[in-house]
């Protein structure tokens, strides 16, 4: 039996411990004792990018913001579907996770990190959203948020500001007309669906399985489009 190896570990500002684990050529990202991502299950992360970047109009040079680098799945898919002139910004709060992607994944993400369309920014994603929402912009065509298990199950307490009514208004201002924000959630979040609609978004709730063959669709992706 091949061993499970603890490759690296770091502690977030709020005290949460993140670990990168390897087993039989696959990689797993843990927060405390909870697995939050792995290279064996990427289905919903890919669908997050598919939905968020599925614009109603033709956009040759979309500007996309991804909240959280993780193991790079949403970044990889965004690069595949947005074209040669896209700009994909990834906000990652923990510098160690950026380093792990560059140095500890046996080259798994070398190509997407080296892609000239990729911009990795060591910061909180909300800071980039705030900047885009300001008068100087520029705004985003798509914002992909996979930073929590949903507003009722935050991985970082500070992320609560993303999901409140004020935060949703900021997100709306950070988007271009017809731009889209996509939220990944581990389970149904009726409050988020309600507040997105009250903020003036056109909203769609997608039921998502852990993997293509799974019978149960436990996860949710909330797609919200700016109408004006």
């Amino acid at each position: 039996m091949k061993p499970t190896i603890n490759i690296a570990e770091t502690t977030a500002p709020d005290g949460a411990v993140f670990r990168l684990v390897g087993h039989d050529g696959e990689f797993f990202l843990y927060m405390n004792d909870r697995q939050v991502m792995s290279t064996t299950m990427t289905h919903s992360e890919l669908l997050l990018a598919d939905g968020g970047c599925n614009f109603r109009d033709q956009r040759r040079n979309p500007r996309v913001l991804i909240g959280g680098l993780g193991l790079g799945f949403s970044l990889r898919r965004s690069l595949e579907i947005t074209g040669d002139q896209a700009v994909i910004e990834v906000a990652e709060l923990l510098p160690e996770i950026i380093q792990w992607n560059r140095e500890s994944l046996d080259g798994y993400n070398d190509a997407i990190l080296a892609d000239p369309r990729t911009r990795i920014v060591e910061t909180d994603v909300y800071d980039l959203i705030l900047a885009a929402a300001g008068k100087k912009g520029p705004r985003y065509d798509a914002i992909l948020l996979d930073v929590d298990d949903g507003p009722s199950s935050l991985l970082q307490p500070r992320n609560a500001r993303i999901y409140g009514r004020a935060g949703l208004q900021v997100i709306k201002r950070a988007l271009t007309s017809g731009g889209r924000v996509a939220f990944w959630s581990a389970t149904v979040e009726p409050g988020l669906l309600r507040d997105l609609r009250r903020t003036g978004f056109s909203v769609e709730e997608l039921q998502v399985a852990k993997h293509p063959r799974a019978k149960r669709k436990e996860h949710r992706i909330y797609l919200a489009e700016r109408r004006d």
Side-chain angles (χ1 to χ4, degrees), residues 129-147:
I129 293 172
L130 276 174
K135 292 182 179 180
K136 295 183 179 180
R139 296 175 178 177
Y140 294 102
D141 297 291
I143 299 175
L144 314 179
L145 296 173
D146 184 8
V147 293

Side-chain angles (χ1 to χ4, degrees), residues 51-59 141 177-180 202-204 223-227:
C53 297
N54 184 23
F55 308 110
R56 295 181 186 275
D57 53 0
Q58 293 288 338
R59 303 198 178 201
D141 297 291
S177 179
R180 314 190 97 195
S202 174
V203 189
E204 182 180 2
L223 300 175
E225 183 175 304
R226 178 172 177 169
R227 297 171 178 173

Side-chain angles (χ1 to χ4, degrees), residues 86-177:
V87 174
I88 316 293
E89 292 185 12
V90 182
E92 175 52 59
L93 184 62
L94 298 179
E96 293 86 354
I97 289 184
I98 299 173
Q99 181 182 6
W100 298 348
N101 274 269
R102 295 189 186 281
E103 301 176 4
S104 304
L105 300 183
D106 295 337
Y108 187 81
N109 283 337
D110 285 0
I112 61 174
L113 294 175
D115 193 299
R117 298 169 292 170
T118 298
R119 299 178 184 176
I120 306 295
V121 186
E122 184 186 321
T123 191
D124 191 305
V125 67
Y126 194 71
D127 292 338
L128 295 183
I129 293 172
L130 276 174
K135 292 182 179 180
K136 295 183 179 180
R139 296 175 178 177
Y140 294 102
D141 297 291
I143 299 175
L144 314 179
L145 296 173
D146 184 8
V147 293
D148 298 291
D149 280 351
S152 62
S153 183
L154 301 175
L155 297 185
Q156 298 285 339
R158 71 175 69 188
N159 290 341
R161 57 187 175 171
I162 293 175
Y163 304 101
R165 292 287 296 277
L168 296 179
Q169 288 284 0
V170 172
I171 291 173
K172 184 178 178 182
R173 294 198 303 271
L175 289 168
T176 58
S177 179

